Amino acid sequence: MTERIFLSSPHMSGKEQSYIDYAFDTNWIAPLGPNVDGFEREIADYVQLNDAAATSSGTAALHLALELLDVQKDDVVFCSTLTFVASVNPILYMNATPVFIDSEEKTWNMSPIALEKALKDAKQNGKLPKAVIVVNLYGQSAMMDELVALCDEYGVPLVEDAAESLGAYYKGKPSGSFGKFGVFSFNGNKIITTSGGGMLVSNDVEALKHARFLATQARDAAVHYQHSVMGYNYRLSNILAGVGRAQLEVLDERVNARRAVFDRYVEAFGGVEGIDFMPELENTYGNRWLTTLTLNPEKINITPYELIEALGKESIEARPVWKPLHLQPLFEGSTFYPHSEDNAVSERLFEQGICLPSGSNMTVEQQQRVIDKVIAVLGVEKYAYHSAE
Ligand SMILES: *Cc1c(COP(=O)(O)O)cnc(C)c1O
């Protein structure tokens, strides 16, 4: 039987157990304790911000960010359309309305052109969004200079959904550090994992103090249990925070390993006409969480779905690119701003895109199995080659 190759599986370093033991030895078997404090400090240092608040998931961290920005019922929040639904569900938790912003070609992330149009319209209608959630897809930073400048111009806070981009850099600055708030996820499939967990980061120490308050059922400062506002149970377990501390120690190694996986795929079929890998913007350094590419249907007569199915038969897990949220039944009838009137970039990326196995724990032999199968299914010898990037 052939061993299954996953898209992205957990990759332990071996140092996790000592942090878990530390939690047990000190009996901090709770959603607070020295590992939580340590993990928060270490993440804040890593992304060069004043503070970080550990949460039970990335989704919870996003939810808290919207709470801190005082998003209310019937408010509007802008969000990248090409993303996982978790980027947007917290908008629904707030009974607010998402407006979806298209991607551009250079990063596959939020189009500054589409965002500008949406902000202009919103201003004209007298209802600016309460926040703009910018996602860094597959570990690639969005065009932060342009997006931050637009948000500043219109006075709308930016929330960076960096769930997939921990360890990436944009012009020398850590991904996740660009907005009023940044969000990370440590779900099992992310570049580092605590099995489940998240982090809310910011330079606003007071805001994060309030986030911790909201995340622990919003208990007022009273001996008896007193509550004036609604809260949540969103803190991260001290045991899991220990796993996170060990994982963070090897984050840069994990980024290097994923980038090496990407490079081997590019070497194998980056030169095939009709195959285009997700680009990397100049002066940025992606973590290449997932290697993603598009198959141009004018040049390649296999669809991503056919390729995914063929790989699946060989116990190789591949996936389409995220289905844009404005196309999801959940968001039927919602407003969408395309990159240009006749070009919805995210829709093309969804139709043509595929994610290949990209785990940092993949062996070269496993990756060769993927490469051989892709080459066989596509029949790449039929295609013209251009020089690989
Ligand atoms: C994984 C992910 C999230 C959610 O993180 P969880 O920890 O699973 O709640 C949010 N946004 C994006 C883009 C993600 O990939």
Side-chain angles (χ1 to χ4, degrees), residues 56-60 62 83-84 86-87 135 137 161 163-164 184-187 189-190 197-198 289 322:
S56 52
S57 71
T59 310
L62 256 174
T83 182
F84 181 43
S87 302
V135 181
L137 211 59
D161 180 351
E164 301 176 2
F184 296 112
S185 165
F186 309 111
N187 205 328
N189 60 351
K190 297 293 172 14
W289 174 53
W322 299 123

mmCIF file of all heavy atoms in Angstrom, residues 56-60 62 83-84 86-87 135 137 161 163-164 184-187 189-190 197-198 289 322, ligand 1:
data_model
loop_
_atom_site.group_PDB
_atom_site.id
_atom_site.type_symbol
_atom_site.label_atom_id
_atom_site.label_comp_id
_atom_site.label_asym_id
_atom_site.label_seq_id
_atom_site.Cartn_x
_atom_site.Cartn_y
_atom_site.Cartn_z
ATOM 1 N N SER A 56 -8.184 30.499 21.428
ATOM 2 C CA SER A 56 -8.453 29.084 21.154
ATOM 3 C C SER A 56 -8.451 28.763 19.660
ATOM 4 O O SER A 56 -8.378 27.599 19.278
ATOM 5 C CB SER A 56 -9.797 28.696 21.774
ATOM 6 O OG SER A 56 -10.795 29.618 21.359
ATOM 7 N N SER A 57 -8.531 29.796 18.815
ATOM 8 C CA SER A 57 -8.439 29.586 17.369
ATOM 9 C C SER A 57 -8.152 30.912 16.681
ATOM 10 O O SER A 57 -8.299 31.987 17.284
ATOM 11 C CB SER A 57 -9.755 29.006 16.816
ATOM 12 O OG SER A 57 -10.773 29.990 16.849
ATOM 13 N N GLY A 58 -7.786 30.832 15.421
ATOM 14 C CA GLY A 58 -7.623 32.049 14.625
ATOM 15 C C GLY A 58 -8.958 32.747 14.426
ATOM 16 O O GLY A 58 -9.041 33.980 14.438
ATOM 17 N N THR A 59 -10.006 31.952 14.256
ATOM 18 C CA THR A 59 -11.344 32.513 14.074
ATOM 19 C C THR A 59 -11.745 33.335 15.297
ATOM 20 O O THR A 59 -12.300 34.431 15.168
ATOM 21 C CB THR A 59 -12.365 31.375 13.857
ATOM 22 O OG1 THR A 59 -11.866 30.510 12.834
ATOM 23 C CG2 THR A 59 -13.712 31.910 13.442
ATOM 24 N N ALA A 60 -11.437 32.808 16.487
ATOM 25 C CA ALA A 60 -11.745 33.531 17.730
ATOM 26 C C ALA A 60 -10.974 34.852 17.771
ATOM 27 O O ALA A 60 -11.516 35.884 18.182
ATOM 28 C CB ALA A 60 -11.396 32.670 18.940
ATOM 29 N N LEU A 62 -9.983 36.647 15.247
ATOM 30 C CA LEU A 62 -10.636 37.569 14.301
ATOM 31 C C LEU A 62 -11.919 38.142 14.894
ATOM 32 O O LEU A 62 -12.207 39.333 14.756
ATOM 33 C CB LEU A 62 -10.975 36.819 13.016
ATOM 34 C CG LEU A 62 -10.091 37.052 11.805
ATOM 35 C CD1 LEU A 62 -10.495 36.101 10.684
ATOM 36 C CD2 LEU A 62 -10.155 38.499 11.320
ATOM 37 N N THR A 83 -10.510 33.444 -0.082
ATOM 38 C CA THR A 83 -10.019 33.015 1.231
ATOM 39 C C THR A 83 -10.899 31.916 1.785
ATOM 40 O O THR A 83 -11.946 31.574 1.224
ATOM 41 C CB THR A 83 -9.959 34.208 2.219
ATOM 42 O OG1 THR A 83 -9.429 33.756 3.471
ATOM 43 C CG2 THR A 83 -11.340 34.796 2.473
ATOM 44 N N PHE A 84 -10.460 31.386 2.910
ATOM 45 C CA PHE A 84 -11.213 30.404 3.679
ATOM 46 C C PHE A 84 -12.350 31.133 4.396
ATOM 47 O O PHE A 84 -12.207 32.287 4.807
ATOM 48 C CB PHE A 84 -10.241 29.776 4.681
ATOM 49 C CG PHE A 84 -10.811 28.708 5.559
ATOM 50 C CD1 PHE A 84 -11.661 27.722 5.057
ATOM 51 C CD2 PHE A 84 -10.476 28.667 6.904
ATOM 52 C CE1 PHE A 84 -12.159 26.733 5.882
ATOM 53 C CE2 PHE A 84 -10.967 27.678 7.743
ATOM 54 C CZ PHE A 84 -11.815 26.716 7.222
ATOM 55 N N ALA A 86 -13.433 31.106 7.223
ATOM 56 C CA ALA A 86 -13.145 31.573 8.588
ATOM 57 C C ALA A 86 -12.772 33.049 8.630
ATOM 58 O O ALA A 86 -12.925 33.697 9.663
ATOM 59 C CB ALA A 86 -12.021 30.744 9.209
ATOM 60 N N SER A 87 -12.276 33.587 7.507
ATOM 61 C CA SER A 87 -11.945 35.015 7.470
ATOM 62 C C SER A 87 -13.190 35.877 7.648
ATOM 63 O O SER A 87 -13.102 37.019 8.091
ATOM 64 C CB SER A 87 -11.312 35.395 6.123
ATOM 65 O OG SER A 87 -10.159 34.651 5.866
ATOM 66 N N VAL A 135 -6.420 39.378 3.667
ATOM 67 C CA VAL A 135 -5.899 38.023 3.866
ATOM 68 C C VAL A 135 -4.597 37.861 3.076
ATOM 69 O O VAL A 135 -4.488 38.345 1.949
ATOM 70 C CB VAL A 135 -6.932 36.986 3.377
ATOM 71 C CG1 VAL A 135 -6.422 35.571 3.605
ATOM 72 C CG2 VAL A 135 -8.271 37.183 4.077
ATOM 73 N N LEU A 137 -2.912 35.147 1.406
ATOM 74 C CA LEU A 137 -3.235 33.804 0.947
ATOM 75 C C LEU A 137 -2.006 32.901 0.811
ATOM 76 O O LEU A 137 -1.014 33.312 0.207
ATOM 77 C CB LEU A 137 -3.877 33.967 -0.430
ATOM 78 C CG LEU A 137 -4.923 32.961 -0.840
ATOM 79 C CD1 LEU A 137 -6.085 32.961 0.124
ATOM 80 C CD2 LEU A 137 -5.392 33.263 -2.245
ATOM 81 N N ASP A 161 -5.493 39.279 8.267
ATOM 82 C CA ASP A 161 -5.688 37.845 8.492
ATOM 83 C C ASP A 161 -4.432 37.135 7.981
ATOM 84 O O ASP A 161 -4.315 36.809 6.807
ATOM 85 C CB ASP A 161 -6.946 37.339 7.768
ATOM 86 C CG ASP A 161 -7.179 35.848 7.989
ATOM 87 O OD1 ASP A 161 -6.285 35.179 8.543
ATOM 88 O OD2 ASP A 161 -8.245 35.347 7.586
ATOM 89 N N ALA A 163 -3.366 34.264 9.097
ATOM 90 C CA ALA A 163 -3.491 32.875 9.567
ATOM 91 C C ALA A 163 -2.575 31.939 8.780
ATOM 92 O O ALA A 163 -2.064 30.955 9.312
ATOM 93 C CB ALA A 163 -4.937 32.408 9.440
ATOM 94 N N GLU A 164 -2.373 32.267 7.498
ATOM 95 C CA GLU A 164 -1.572 31.387 6.639
ATOM 96 C C GLU A 164 -0.156 31.915 6.429
ATOM 97 O O GLU A 164 0.635 31.284 5.735
ATOM 98 C CB GLU A 164 -2.277 31.234 5.270
ATOM 99 C CG GLU A 164 -3.675 30.648 5.409
ATOM 100 C CD GLU A 164 -4.440 30.560 4.084
ATOM 101 O OE1 GLU A 164 -3.864 30.917 3.033
ATOM 102 O OE2 GLU A 164 -5.608 30.146 4.117
ATOM 103 N N PHE A 184 -3.230 35.275 13.745
ATOM 104 C CA PHE A 184 -2.560 34.037 13.323
ATOM 105 C C PHE A 184 -3.395 32.832 13.743
ATOM 106 O O PHE A 184 -4.196 32.914 14.676
ATOM 107 C CB PHE A 184 -1.168 33.922 13.959
ATOM 108 C CG PHE A 184 -0.220 34.998 13.519
ATOM 109 C CD1 PHE A 184 0.208 35.976 14.418
ATOM 110 C CD2 PHE A 184 0.237 35.057 12.211
ATOM 111 C CE1 PHE A 184 1.081 36.981 14.013
ATOM 112 C CE2 PHE A 184 1.103 36.058 11.800
ATOM 113 C CZ PHE A 184 1.528 37.024 12.698
ATOM 114 N N SER A 185 -3.183 31.717 13.041
ATOM 115 C CA SER A 185 -3.851 30.461 13.380
ATOM 116 C C SER A 185 -2.812 29.374 13.592
ATOM 117 O O SER A 185 -1.798 29.325 12.881
ATOM 118 C CB SER A 185 -4.797 30.041 12.259
ATOM 119 O OG SER A 185 -5.168 28.682 12.418
ATOM 120 N N PHE A 186 -3.078 28.515 14.573
ATOM 121 C CA PHE A 186 -2.202 27.356 14.804
ATOM 122 C C PHE A 186 -3.005 26.070 14.656
ATOM 123 O O PHE A 186 -2.815 25.112 15.409
ATOM 124 C CB PHE A 186 -1.550 27.453 16.191
ATOM 125 C CG PHE A 186 -0.896 28.784 16.434
ATOM 126 C CD1 PHE A 186 -1.426 29.675 17.356
ATOM 127 C CD2 PHE A 186 0.219 29.162 15.703
ATOM 128 C CE1 PHE A 186 -0.839 30.916 17.569
ATOM 129 C CE2 PHE A 186 0.811 30.404 15.901
ATOM 130 C CZ PHE A 186 0.286 31.286 16.843
ATOM 131 N N ASN A 187 -3.918 26.076 13.700
ATOM 132 C CA ASN A 187 -4.675 24.870 13.399
ATOM 133 C C ASN A 187 -3.706 23.787 12.877
ATOM 134 O O ASN A 187 -2.588 24.100 12.491
ATOM 135 C CB ASN A 187 -5.734 25.193 12.339
ATOM 136 C CG ASN A 187 -6.895 24.230 12.415
ATOM 137 O OD1 ASN A 187 -6.714 23.066 12.774
ATOM 138 N ND2 ASN A 187 -8.081 24.683 12.096
ATOM 139 N N ASN A 189 -3.242 22.225 10.228
ATOM 140 C CA ASN A 189 -2.683 22.250 8.876
ATOM 141 C C ASN A 189 -1.791 23.466 8.625
ATOM 142 O O ASN A 189 -1.217 23.606 7.559
ATOM 143 C CB ASN A 189 -3.817 22.218 7.843
ATOM 144 C CG ASN A 189 -4.755 23.412 7.980
ATOM 145 O OD1 ASN A 189 -4.663 24.170 8.946
ATOM 146 N ND2 ASN A 189 -5.630 23.584 7.021
ATOM 147 N N LYS A 190 -1.661 24.357 9.591
ATOM 148 C CA LYS A 190 -0.908 25.594 9.366
ATOM 149 C C LYS A 190 0.600 25.357 9.484
ATOM 150 O O LYS A 190 1.033 24.276 9.858
ATOM 151 C CB LYS A 190 -1.394 26.682 10.330
ATOM 152 C CG LYS A 190 -2.876 27.067 10.114
ATOM 153 C CD LYS A 190 -3.088 27.748 8.788
ATOM 154 C CE LYS A 190 -4.486 28.031 8.306
ATOM 155 N NZ LYS A 190 -5.669 27.978 9.072
ATOM 156 N N GLY A 197 -5.549 26.634 17.784
ATOM 157 C CA GLY A 197 -5.167 27.820 18.540
ATOM 158 C C GLY A 197 -5.012 29.014 17.626
ATOM 159 O O GLY A 197 -5.039 28.870 16.396
ATOM 160 N N GLY A 198 -4.897 30.173 18.230
ATOM 161 C CA GLY A 198 -4.733 31.385 17.436
ATOM 162 C C GLY A 198 -4.066 32.471 18.249
ATOM 163 O O GLY A 198 -3.771 32.280 19.445
ATOM 164 N N TRP A 289 3.339 28.518 2.368
ATOM 165 C CA TRP A 289 2.568 27.543 3.156
ATOM 166 C C TRP A 289 2.048 26.416 2.250
ATOM 167 O O TRP A 289 2.219 25.240 2.536
ATOM 168 C CB TRP A 289 1.413 28.242 3.869
ATOM 169 C CG TRP A 289 0.496 27.299 4.568
ATOM 170 C CD1 TRP A 289 0.859 26.336 5.468
ATOM 171 C CD2 TRP A 289 -0.920 27.196 4.418
ATOM 172 N NE1 TRP A 289 -0.260 25.652 5.891
ATOM 173 C CE2 TRP A 289 -1.357 26.150 5.261
ATOM 174 C CE3 TRP A 289 -1.861 27.888 3.653
ATOM 175 C CZ2 TRP A 289 -2.691 25.782 5.363
ATOM 176 C CZ3 TRP A 289 -3.190 27.518 3.768
ATOM 177 C CH2 TRP A 289 -3.594 26.482 4.609
ATOM 178 N N TRP A 322 -9.037 28.130 -2.911
ATOM 179 C CA TRP A 322 -10.271 28.506 -2.208
ATOM 180 C C TRP A 322 -11.338 28.986 -3.184
ATOM 181 O O TRP A 322 -11.058 29.784 -4.062
ATOM 182 C CB TRP A 322 -10.031 29.655 -1.214
ATOM 183 C CG TRP A 322 -9.065 29.396 -0.099
ATOM 184 C CD1 TRP A 322 -7.947 30.135 0.169
ATOM 185 C CD2 TRP A 322 -9.131 28.386 0.923
ATOM 186 N NE1 TRP A 322 -7.321 29.631 1.290
ATOM 187 C CE2 TRP A 322 -8.017 28.562 1.763
ATOM 188 C CE3 TRP A 322 -10.026 27.347 1.197
ATOM 189 C CZ2 TRP A 322 -7.763 27.747 2.870
ATOM 190 C CZ3 TRP A 322 -9.771 26.533 2.287
ATOM 191 C CH2 TRP A 322 -8.654 26.732 3.109
HETATM 192 C C1 LIG B 1 -7.015 28.728 9.022
HETATM 193 C C2 LIG B 1 -7.515 30.057 8.661
HETATM 194 C C3 LIG B 1 -8.313 30.808 9.536
HETATM 195 C C4 LIG B 1 -8.902 30.265 10.793
HETATM 196 O O1 LIG B 1 -8.066 29.794 11.729
HETATM 197 P P1 LIG B 1 -8.605 28.697 12.786
HETATM 198 O O2 LIG B 1 -7.461 28.652 13.769
HETATM 199 O O3 LIG B 1 -8.789 27.430 12.038
HETATM 200 O O4 LIG B 1 -9.839 29.213 13.387
HETATM 201 C C5 LIG B 1 -8.662 32.090 9.164
HETATM 202 N N1 LIG B 1 -8.295 32.609 7.992
HETATM 203 C C6 LIG B 1 -7.543 31.911 7.123
HETATM 204 C C7 LIG B 1 -7.144 32.567 5.847
HETATM 205 C C8 LIG B 1 -7.154 30.615 7.411
HETATM 206 O O5 LIG B 1 -6.452 29.916 6.516
#
